[in-house]
Amino acid sequence: MSFDNNTHRITAIDWLRGIVMMLMALDHASWFFNEQRIFADSVLLYEPGVHFAADQFFTRWITHICAPTFIFLAGASIAVSNFQRRRQGMSGAVIDRELLMRGAFIALLDIVLFSLVGGKPVLQVLYAIGISMMLMVYLQRLGTEAVFWLAILIIAGGESLLMLLWQPGGDVPLWLALTFAPDFGATYTVLYPALPWLGMMMLGWVFGQWLLTRPSGATAPHRLLLTCGWLALTLFVIVRGLDGYGNLFMHLEGNTLVHWLHVSKYPPSLAYTLLELGLMAIVLSLLMRLESFNKTINRNNPVLIFGQTALFFYLAHFVILRIMEIFFERGSLEQTYVITLLTLVILYPVCRAYRTLKWRYPQSLLRFL
C-alpha cells in the first residue's frame, strides 16, 4: 500500500473508486439509452412475479456496488485526508471547516443543480454523501470505537426504526424522506435518504483510521478486508435465506441467482448492504495485493485517473451523455455498452487535464471537485 506523492492518496482506493465510476457510467448510459432497463430495486418499484431478462438484470446488478463503495471510500478518504492535513500543520478548526464546506457543496449540487435539470427537487447520491460528510465533522469526535458501533447500529438496526415509521406506499413526511425512507412523489423525489448511507461512510472512516493507526504486527489490511468481506457475504446468505428481517419487504420469490440478488437498494436493506460491502471488501483486498506487487504506479492509467477525479467525472459524464442524445436514440443493451465505452474514451483526456489543473492549484476552488 502506497501514498501518491502528489495527492497523498492510497493507490488501491483510487483504483477501486475508478472501477466503480466506470460501472456508474454504464448504469447511467443504460438509464439514458437502454429501452429495456430494469429499475426495480425497491418494494416501491417492483411488482412481484415479474420475470427479468438475465442480461438486463445483471447489467443493473453489477452497478449496485457503486454507491456503497463510493460512500465507504469517501469515509476512508476523510480519515486519510485529515491525517495528512494535520501532519502538514493545519489546525483542527480549519480541517473541520473544509469538510463542512465540501459536504455542503456536494449536497447542494443535488439540491440545486440536478433539481433544476429535473424540474423538481431530486435528492440522489450526492445529497447523501454531502450530508454524511457534514455529519462526520462531529461524529468523528466520538472516537473510532464509538463511531464503529454506531455505524453497526444504523446498518443492522435501521430497518427496525424504519418499519415503525414507514409502510411502503403510504405518505412519507419530508423529514422521514430526508433521513430514512425514499419518496417518489410528484413534488420531490428522494432516492437516497441520508442516514442509511451515513452508516456506510462511518464504517469507511473507521477503516481509514485503522489504516493510519494500526500497530506494527497487526493484521495486514488486505487480509482484514478479505476476512470481513467473506464474513459479510456469509451474513448476507443467512439474512437473505431467512427471508425476514433485513430484506425490507423484498422477499425471495424463487431459488435462482437472480431471485437471491434482487434486493432493496431504495432504501438499502441489510441484505443489500452486506452483499455490496462484502464484495467491495474482497475487491479492495485484491487491489491492495496488486498494489504491493507493483514497484511503480502508472499515474496515467485511466482507472486511476477516473478514481482521482471522481466528482468531476460524475458531473462531466452527465454532460457527455446528454450530448450523446443528439446522436443516439434509446435502443438495445448492446448499444448501451458501446455508448458507455465512447463516454469513457471521451472522459479520459478531459479528466486527465482536470487532474493536472487541480494538482497545479491545490488551494483553488477546484479542490471541492
Side-chain angles (χ1 to χ4, degrees), residues 35 179 187 253 284 304 330:
E35 276 191 328
T179 54
T187 55
E253 294 188 66
L284 183 55
L304 185 64
R330 295 178 65 84

Side-chain angles (χ1 to χ4, degrees), residues 90-332:
M90 191 176 292
S91 70
V94 173
I95 293 172
D96 287 348
R97 187 177 71 237
E98 286 280 307
L99 185 55
L100 273 173
M101 291 173 61
R102 180 168 171 78
F105 174 75
I106 291 173
L108 285 170
L109 286 174
D110 256 355
I111 295 171
V112 178
L113 180 61
F114 285 100
S115 296
L116 286 175
V117 173
K120 65 175 182 178
V122 180
L123 303 184
Q124 302 185 73
V125 69
L126 294 186
Y127 162 76
I129 292 172
I131 295 298
S132 296
M133 291 176 73
M134 295 172 72
L135 291 173
M136 283 305 303
V137 171
Y138 308 101
L139 288 170
Q140 61 188 342
R141 297 173 185 171
L142 299 175
T144 306
E145 186 175 347
V147 171
F148 172 76
W149 288 113
L150 184 56
I152 296 299
L153 179 63
I154 292 172
I155 291 171
E159 185 168 330
S160 295
L161 179 59
L162 179 60
M163 292 176 74
L164 291 175
L165 301 171
W166 175 71
Q167 285 295 319
D171 292 335
V172 181
L174 179 61
W175 69 268
L176 187 59
L178 294 176
T179 54
F180 268 114
D183 188 16
F184 301 89
T187 55
Y188 61 84
T189 293
V190 181
L191 281 171
Y192 287 80
L195 290 185
W197 303 96
L198 171 64
M200 301 184 206
M201 182 175 286
M202 292 165 70
L203 277 186
W205 181 84
V206 169
F207 175 67
Q209 287 292 105
W210 179 83
L211 282 177
L212 296 166
T213 61
R214 65 190 178 96
S216 59
T219 303
H222 72 274
R223 290 181 179 172
L224 177 68
L225 284 166
L226 197 61
T227 300
C228 291
W230 284 115
L231 175 60
L233 293 183
T234 301
L235 291 174
F236 161 75
V237 171
I238 294 171
V239 170
R240 191 68 175 137
L242 291 175
D243 197 26
Y245 182 86
N247 286 273
L248 269 175
F249 308 105
M250 294 282 286
H251 298 296
L252 277 170
E253 294 188 66
N255 207 32
T256 67
L257 184 60
V258 169
H259 288 125
W260 273 76
L261 298 180
H262 185 218
V263 291
S264 175
K265 180 182 178 182
Y266 307 107
S269 65
L270 176 59
Y272 168 89
T273 303
L274 288 169
L275 175 60
E276 303 308 329
L277 289 185
L279 292 172
M280 179 221 63
I282 292 171
V283 174
L284 183 55
S285 171
L286 296 175
L287 290 174
M288 283 185 167
R289 287 293 288 165
L290 178 62
E291 181 182 350
S292 69
F293 292 130
N294 276 268
K295 302 302 181 184
T296 58
I297 302 298
N298 179 4
R299 288 172 49 192
N300 292 321
N301 179 287
V303 176
L304 185 64
I305 286 177
F306 293 153
Q308 292 179 336
T309 58
L311 183 53
F312 177 81
F313 178 108
Y314 182 86
L315 299 174
H317 93 287
F318 277 118
V319 175
I320 292 172
L321 289 173
R322 284 294 184 190
I323 294 172
M324 290 279 190
E325 287 185 306
I326 300 172
F327 306 99
F328 298 95
E329 296 181 352
R330 295 178 65 84
S332 68

Side-chain angles (χ1 to χ4, degrees), residues 3 8-10 13-14 16-17 68-84 133 136 140 200-212 225 280 284 288:
F3 288 87
H8 306 295
R9 303 167 78 114
I10 298 171
I13 288 179
D14 281 330
L16 181 54
R17 188 181 283 112
T69 300
F70 195 75
I71 290 173
F72 179 94
L73 294 183
S77 295
I78 289 171
V80 173
S81 175
N82 287 353
F83 172 80
Q84 293 289 344
M133 291 176 73
M136 283 305 303
Q140 61 188 342
M200 301 184 206
M201 182 175 286
M202 292 165 70
L203 277 186
W205 181 84
V206 169
F207 175 67
Q209 287 292 105
W210 179 83
L211 282 177
L212 296 166
L225 284 166
M280 179 221 63
L284 183 55
M288 283 185 167

